[in-house]
Amino acid sequence: MDIFDKFSALKTRTDLVEKLGVDPFGVKFDTILNATRGLIGNQEIILAGTNNYLGLTFDPDCIEASVNALKKHGTGTTGSRIANGSYEEHVDLENALAKHTGMESAVIFSTGYQTNLAAIATLAGPKDVLFIDADSHACIIDGCRLSAAPTIRFRHNSPSDLEKRLIRQGEIEGGIALVVIEGMYSMFGDKAPIKEFVEVCERHGAYLYIDEAHSFGIFGPTGCGLAEEEGVLDRVDFISGTFSKSLASIGGFCLSRHKAFEVTRKAMRAYMFTASPTPSNVAAARAALDKIAEKPELRKNLKERSEQLHAGLLALGLELCAPPGPIIAVRRPNELIAATEWNWLMENGIYVNLAVPPGTPQSSSLLRISLSAAHTKEDIDLILAGFSQLSQLGDAMTARAQEVLAAQ
Ligand code: PMP
């Protein structure tokens, strides 16, 4: 028995997709020119799959803050905050996040993935019960796996199904119910009905935890996310997020309206036993938070570009998975056709994401686009022109996919 035997099905699937051209899961850019353009060799590619929602990765102030912190503190923290201490950037960003959102407590982590892993696994103990959305992100699922609490899934975006399950569960002796949802779901780009979830949780005394990874900085009058947009931010117990999208860096955060959340720093294993984020990453996120506060026009531009692209794709007769938003997922008939089309788009200078099972809900195959406030009207026209040409090639794409399959 070979240790890699168990990956043979995955290997076959990967080999097949690679025969179509570039490996969609191993794209290598030679240079990133700015928030919307990259180079592969000499070919300029329009970036439409980066989650760089506010386009701040090349913002001069974010770069300057990051470089200054790098020069001041060096390249790495070489340890965890519990064992090796905090830097002023860590504390400053936590204070700024708490202040900006009006939350009592803020803790930052090395990635968004670790944020959910650490917080969910720790907040729910053996006597508690976790209730999670059926389409939860992998790091929420992994947080539940690490937690000693049993996990109950409810139907995607269904407050009524959650309520049914909370009622069925009844009184939790010596424990609490912790409900975990996301603000905007990363694959389809659909939004949770947050206000209804808040009301269900309040009716049943359950705590509510919302991952706003794809919505923080993008929605709400001051960019705090969808809970703010729905006017219920102060009724949510925990908000988590990432620096790797609108905050243009790497790292994550969990905010709570409960001051007592502070004590969990000394209980969250994925906080305690891993190196803290570098001051340069944290400083970039801190500068991006200032932009979120100062530049509502970024949100406005992102919204307008999303509406433009959504309307244009609909006019081409394509099936989209959600109303207009920064994530626009085009549903394709199967993985092979999606991968063939993905390659064609790449060859024609348009980078989107190929999203396939098990990473997608409903076993769907998607061409997933994520937009940026840095995209111009003309950039969207360019993306639309690509999809328009692609639509006209319909049969040719199917034939190309079948050729590869036949050669297997
Ligand atoms: N939550 C959600 C909903 C995500 O989509 C992601 C990553 N795409 C994360 C958390 C993890 O964030 P990070 O990339 O910072 O680990």
Side-chain angles (χ1 to χ4, degrees):
M1 185 77 188
D2 188 295
I3 192 170
F4 298 109
D5 278 354
K6 52 187 165 290
F7 303 108
S8 62
L10 177 62
K11 179 83 173 64
T12 309
R13 196 172 159 202
T14 305
D15 289 348
L16 181 62
V17 167
E18 279 178 21
K19 285 207 177 85
L20 295 165
V22 179
D23 172 10
F25 310 111
V27 179
K28 182 185 153 288
F29 288 99
D30 294 306
T31 311
I32 298 294
L33 299 170
N34 55 47
T36 63
R37 294 292 188 286
L39 282 182
I40 297 184
N42 291 327
Q43 191 190 13
E44 191 169 298
I45 310 276
I46 182 160
L47 304 174
T50 59
N51 301 324
N52 195 357
Y53 295 123
L54 298 182
L56 293 172
T57 50
F58 281 80
D59 179 90
D61 295 331
C62 295
I63 291 178
E64 194 189 344
S66 188
V67 168
N68 287 344
L70 182 67
K71 286 189 173 154
K72 191 168 172 192
H73 299 292
T75 52
T77 62
T78 66
S80 91
R81 290 172 69 185
I82 296 285
N84 308 90
S86 293
Y87 289 64
E88 59 186 300
E89 283 79 2
H90 295 140
V91 178
D92 179 47
L93 179 54
E94 285 176 344
N95 289 339
L97 281 165
K99 186 160 180 263
H100 184 75
T101 56
M103 290 287 194
E104 288 291 328
S105 172
V107 180
I108 64 168
F109 298 81
S110 304
T111 69
Y113 182 98
Q114 278 174 263
T115 304
N116 285 337
L117 203 67
I120 295 168
T122 307
L123 288 167
K127 293 188 172 161
D128 305 322
V129 182
L130 279 159
F131 292 82
I132 66 167
D133 188 283
D135 288 355
S136 289
H137 189 268
C139 59
I140 294 176
I141 294 168
D142 292 353
C144 295
R145 284 181 180 157
L146 267 188
S147 157
T151 303
I152 294 171
R153 289 183 186 221
F154 55 88
R155 210 170 332 119
H156 176 55
N157 270 350
S158 173
S160 63
D161 193 50
L162 168 65
E163 182 150 44
K164 213 168 66 189
R165 288 166 199 275
L166 282 166
I167 292 168
R168 196 180 298 158
Q169 177 66 40
E171 187 74 25
I172 302 169
E173 227 186 281
I176 53 93
L178 177 61
V179 174
V180 184
I181 60 171
E182 290 165 46
M184 168 162 274
Y185 284 81
S186 60
M187 286 296 125
F188 284 0
D190 52 334
K191 295 178 190 171
I194 292 183
K195 191 161 182 284
E196 288 172 60
F197 275 117
V198 166
E199 285 162 2
V200 169
C201 288
E202 285 177 348
R203 269 202 294 281
H204 297 277
Y207 286 84
L208 180 60
Y209 181 115
I210 309 181
D211 177 355
E212 296 243 32
H214 293 270
S215 36
F216 186 85
I218 298 158
F219 298 101
T222 68
C224 291
L226 283 167
E228 185 192 34
E229 179 148 300
E230 293 203 18
V232 293
L233 184 56
D234 58 345
R235 291 157 69 187
V236 178
D237 297 287
F238 305 95
I239 298 277
S240 71
T242 173
F243 303 164
S244 70
K245 305 185 196 309
S246 63
L247 288 167
S249 182
I250 181 165
F253 62 85
C254 188
L255 315 171
S256 179
R257 68 187 175 96
H258 307 283
K259 202 152 191 62
F261 179 54
E262 277 298 314
V263 74
T264 63
R265 284 182 200 270
K266 296 176 184 90
M268 293 187 285
R269 293 164 68 84
Y271 174 87
M272 297 160 72
F273 297 106
T274 193
S276 59
T278 65
S280 56
N281 282 328
V282 177
R286 174 74 182 84
L289 182 64
D290 284 343
K291 301 283 161 187
I292 288 172
E294 292 159 10
K295 294 189 133 194
E297 64 269 27
L298 294 174
R299 293 190 280 284
K300 185 170 168 280
N301 196 53
L302 182 58
K303 186 168 185 287
E304 284 172 9
R305 297 289 75 79
S306 305
E307 284 164 359
Q308 182 192 350
L309 183 65
H310 195 276
L313 292 172
L314 276 187
L316 292 174
L318 291 164
E319 184 185 345
L320 308 182
C321 298
I327 299 166
I328 298 181
V330 183
R331 198 190 293 271
R332 306 310 298 139
N334 60 53
E335 183 171 326
L336 209 55
I337 289 181
T340 309
E341 293 176 340
W342 180 90
N343 264 284
W344 184 91
L345 286 168
M346 229 19 204
E347 283 160 20
N348 286 276
I350 301 171
Y351 173 69
V352 301
N353 309 126
L354 174 67
V356 293
T360 52
Q362 302 163 13
S363 298
S364 44
S365 297
L366 310 171
L367 293 172
R368 175 190 180 273
I369 302 164
S370 64
L371 289 176
S372 171
H375 282 125
T376 61
K377 204 168 171 302
E378 291 69 32
D379 289 340
I380 303 298
D381 287 339
L382 213 78
I383 298 168
L384 279 172
F387 272 89
S388 169
Q389 261 181 287
L390 187 59
S391 296
Q392 284 155 29
L393 286 171
D395 291 344
M397 286 294 108
T398 313
R400 187 162 153 187
Q402 276 164 355
E403 244 170 62
V404 170
L405 205 55
Q408 270 296 100

